[in-house]
């Protein structure tokens, strides 16, 4: 199930998420909340959640979108790999597993657009990663 609402005005962050298969939803949501809290933001500030396309059916990612009441966007590995020059924590291990050098950071940046700024670089829990990007454009085009 994909949530379709997008907050058009105040929400200016894209939450990039990555996780291992079967990661508990509570772990992903708690990590996302930690990322937001680290910059004094809340779920109301999220425009959408973004991740790697092979996680589109991952229950924890879907649960996070429902928790924050936002849409989710999923990107193919080559799209995320194109974000590598903007990543703060590229990983050869992640590349070997996914075909891109980062999931959370790259997804956040891809979802937020070409002028996006990575405001929370990748943070980790036991089985998940999260990052936040702020869109650099005034329109909603970057996150729709």
């Amino acid at each position: 199930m994909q949530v379709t609402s997008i907050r058009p005005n105040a929400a200016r962050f894209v939450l990039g998420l990555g996780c291992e298969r079967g990661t508990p939803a509570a772990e992903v949501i708690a990590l996302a909340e930690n990322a937001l809290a680290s910059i004094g933001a809340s779920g109301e500030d999220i425009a959408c959640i973004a991740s790697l396309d092979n996680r589109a059916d991952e229950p924890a990612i879907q649960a996070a979108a429902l928790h924050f009441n936002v849409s989710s966007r999923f990107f193919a590995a080559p799209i995320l790999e194109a974000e590598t020059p903007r990543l703060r924590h590229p990983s050869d291990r992640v590349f070997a597993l996914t075909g891109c050098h980062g999931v959370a950071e790259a997804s956040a940046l891809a979802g937020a657009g070409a002028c996006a700024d990575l405001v929370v670089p990748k943070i980790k829990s036991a089985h998940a990663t999260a990052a936040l990007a702020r869109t650099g454009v005034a329109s909603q085009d970057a996150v729709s």
Side-chain angles (χ1 to χ4, degrees):
M1 175 178 178
Q2 185 170 346
V3 178
T4 58
S5 68
I6 289 186
R7 297 184 181 116
N9 297 320
R12 291 291 167 232
F13 298 108
V14 174
L15 173 63
L17 294 174
C19 67
E20 296 174 12
R21 290 275 180 207
T23 299
E27 180 180 338
V28 172
I29 292 167
L31 185 64
E33 294 281 5
N34 288 342
L36 290 163
S38 74
I39 59 167
S42 73
E44 292 296 314
D45 298 311
I46 298 175
C48 73
I49 287 175
S51 192
L52 181 63
D53 62 358
N54 73 2
R55 290 300 185 257
D57 63 347
E58 187 61 38
I61 303 288
Q62 293 174 359
L66 287 171
H67 175 80
F68 293 112
N69 192 33
V70 295
S71 67
S72 50
R73 294 188 64 198
F74 299 93
F75 297 95
I79 300 295
L80 297 185
E81 181 59 12
E83 297 294 340
T84 300
R86 299 199 299 160
L87 303 184
R88 297 216 191 131
H89 302 287
S91 168
D92 290 335
R93 179 181 174 274
V94 172
F95 181 80
L97 294 170
T98 66
C100 57
H101 279 88
V103 173
E105 289 182 348
S107 296
L109 289 165
C115 295
D117 178 28
L118 192 62
V119 294
V120 177
K122 177 176 72 176
I123 61 172
K124 300 180 195 181
S125 64
H127 306 286
T129 58
L132 282 169
R134 178 180 38 230
T135 182
V137 296
S139 75
Q140 193 61 24
D141 295 340
V143 295
S144 61

